[in-house]
Amino acid sequence: MEAAVIVTYRCPSACQRCHTWQNPTAVHEEFSPALLEKLPALSFCNVTGGEPLVRHDLPEIIDILLARSRRVVVSTSGYFTDQTMQLAERFPRLGIRVSLEGLPAASDRLRGMKDSFDHGLRTLLELTKRRHRDVGFSVTISEENARDVPHLYRLARGMGWEFATAAVHNSDYFHKTDNRITNREVVVAALNELMCELLRSWRVKDWFRAYFNHGIVNYVQGRPRLLPCAAGSGVFFLDPRGEILPCNGMERSLWYQSFGNLHDADFHTIWNSQRAATIRKTVSTCPKNCWMIGTVSPLLRANPLVAARWIVGAQARRLRGRQP
C-alpha cells in the first residue's frame, strides 16, 4: 500500500495555480506525529503539503514513517535549504524532491516568489555536493512553462537527478477551479519531445516515465484515462486534520468524501468499512480525468504489461522518426 501524508496546508509560496497558501491550516489543527503510529505498513510514502518544512516536528514525522514504509520521499519547494540539509544528514535514505516550475523567469512568476528557482536549485546542488543519494525535482506543466520542460529534463539528466512531471489540475486540495490549458499544441509538443528523450535513455525506468507522460498528453487532450482510476484502493491520502481521503483530486462541486478520521478509529477499521467500499465505487465512476503520479504509479506497478506494450510501439515509432 502507498500513501501521501499531507502534513500541513501552510506554505510560504504564492503559487498561481495552487491556492493552498491562501487556505492554511492552523498549527493546532495539524495532527501530531504520534497519530502516524496508527498507519499500516507501506511500500511508499510521500510527505507533502503545503510546504512540509514549515513543520518544526518534521524530523519526528519522518522517523515514524521510515519505520513504517520501505521508502519515504519529502516534496518541498526547496526554499529552506539549511533545513533540507539537516534532514538529509539525519536521514540518508530519505528521498527529497524539489518543485521547480520552469526555468528561472517562469518558475519565479508561477511560484509568486522572487528567486524561488535559485533557492530550489541551490538546495538540489547542495544535496548533490553532500552525495545524498535520492534527489530529484518535479515540474507542473502548463502552456506558461511547457517549452522549459525538455531543458529541465536535460538539466536533471546531466546532474543525475530524478525528474517528474505533472499537468495543472483543479481540486479542493489546490483550492482552484480555473486552471486551464488552452494552448494544447505547445504543451503536447513539449511532452512529445520529452518522451522521445526518455525513450532514448538506457534506463527502463525512464521508458515507463515516457508512458506516464503519454498519459499526461491524453489528459491534456481531454481523452479517456489510459488506465481506470483505483484511488482509495492501493493508495490513500492523509490530510493534516487526520482525514483519510481516496485522492487529492476531488472537487466538492462534483464529489468529495472521506473514509474517516484517523483520530476516531484505527486505520484498518476505517479502510475496511462499508463507507470505504461505497467511496471506492464512487471513484470508479468519477467524472474527472485526472492523471497524477500519486494515483497512477501504483497502477503501473500492478499493470506493467500495459505500459510495456506501449513502450515497444513507441520505441518502434521513434526509430522510424515518428512521434511516440
Side-chain angles (χ1 to χ4, degrees), residues 12 22 56 59 61 69-70 72 76-77 107 133 139 167 172 174 185 201 227 240 300 319-320:
Q22 293 183 334
H56 299 301
I61 287 171
S69 180
R70 291 203 299 268
V72 177
T76 173
S77 67
S107 189
R133 285 186 284 181
V139 57
D172 277 38
F174 300 119
E185 290 76 15
S201 169
L227 294 167
L300 292 181
L319 291 171
R320 293 197 299 269

Side-chain angles (χ1 to χ4, degrees), residues 103-132:
L103 293 173
S107 189
D108 288 2
R109 182 177 68 255
L110 291 170
R111 196 166 282 286
M113 182 179 288
K114 188 177 185 297
D115 298 330
S116 68
F117 181 90
D118 289 0
H119 281 280
L121 184 61
R122 190 182 307 276
T123 295
L124 289 163
L125 291 169
E126 280 292 331
L127 288 166
T128 301
K129 175 184 174 182
R130 299 177 190 217
R131 300 183 184 277
H132 194 74

Side-chain angles (χ1 to χ4, degrees), residues 26-287:
V27 174
H28 72 270
E29 294 180 293
E30 297 168 359
F31 61 74
S32 69
L35 184 71
L36 302 176
E37 299 282 5
K38 300 174 77 172
L39 293 179
L42 300 168
S43 59
F44 174 76
C45 181
N46 177 223
V47 179
T48 186
E51 169 54 71
L53 276 90
V54 302
R55 284 202 58 157
H56 299 301
D57 55 358
L58 185 60
E60 188 177 347
I61 287 171
I62 294 171
D63 253 330
I64 294 170
L65 291 174
L66 281 171
R68 309 192 78 77
S69 180
R70 291 203 299 268
R71 182 164 177 253
V72 177
V73 171
V74 171
S75 297
T76 173
S77 67
Y79 194 80
F80 299 105
T81 301
D82 291 343
Q83 293 96 315
T84 306
M85 296 310 112
Q86 291 166 14
L87 284 180
E89 183 176 354
R90 179 167 172 174
F91 304 109
R93 67 185 181 97
L94 179 69
I96 299 174
R97 295 293 179 270
V98 172
S99 176
L100 299 177
E101 297 309 318
L103 293 173
S107 189
D108 288 2
R109 182 177 68 255
L110 291 170
R111 196 166 282 286
M113 182 179 288
K114 188 177 185 297
D115 298 330
S116 68
F117 181 90
D118 289 0
H119 281 280
L121 184 61
R122 190 182 307 276
T123 295
L124 289 163
L125 291 169
E126 280 292 331
L127 288 166
T128 301
K129 175 184 174 182
R130 299 177 190 217
R131 300 183 184 277
H132 194 74
R133 285 186 284 181
D134 193 350
V135 179
F137 69 89
S138 62
V139 57
T140 301
I141 303 169
S142 70
E143 60 226 60
E144 297 172 89
N145 64 0
R147 290 185 176 89
D148 294 350
V149 170
H151 301 299
L152 290 170
Y153 168 70
R154 293 176 196 119
L155 170 64
R157 184 183 61 198
M159 294 301 298
W161 298 331
E162 298 296 326
F163 181 70
T165 51
V168 291
H169 285 75
N170 294 306
S171 71
D172 277 38
Y173 174 70
F174 300 119
H175 294 275
K176 289 288 286 182
T177 60
D178 60 352
N179 282 327
R180 300 284 185 274
I181 293 177
T182 54
N183 191 342
R184 295 179 179 181
E185 290 76 15
V186 69
V187 175
V188 170
L191 286 168
N192 281 332
E193 183 177 348
L194 173 62
M195 283 188 282
C196 284
E197 298 227 13
L198 288 166
L199 290 166
R200 289 190 192 102
S201 169
W202 291 102
R203 297 199 315 166
V204 173
K205 184 176 183 179
D206 286 341
W207 301 349
F208 279 84
R209 283 183 172 154
Y211 176 81
F212 175 76
N213 282 280
H214 169 54
I216 296 180
V217 170
N218 240 40
Y219 164 75
V220 169
Q221 294 178 328
R223 296 174 180 170
R225 287 174 56 101
L226 301 177
L227 294 167
C229 185
S233 295
V235 60
F236 66 90
F237 291 72
L238 178 69
D239 87 354
R241 299 179 179 94
E243 296 291 334
I244 299 174
L245 307 173
C247 73
N248 66 342
M250 294 180 290
E251 296 181 62
R252 292 183 194 275
S253 61
L254 298 171
W255 73 286
Y256 191 102
Q257 295 181 44
S258 166
F259 289 145
N261 195 293
L262 198 55
H263 289 102
D264 300 331
D266 69 86
F267 179 86
H268 292 290
T269 297
I270 295 171
W271 190 250
N272 297 316
S273 67
Q274 182 57 50
R275 179 178 179 178
T278 301
I279 291 172
R280 290 185 186 106
K281 290 180 181 177
T282 304
V283 169
S284 69
T285 59
C286 177

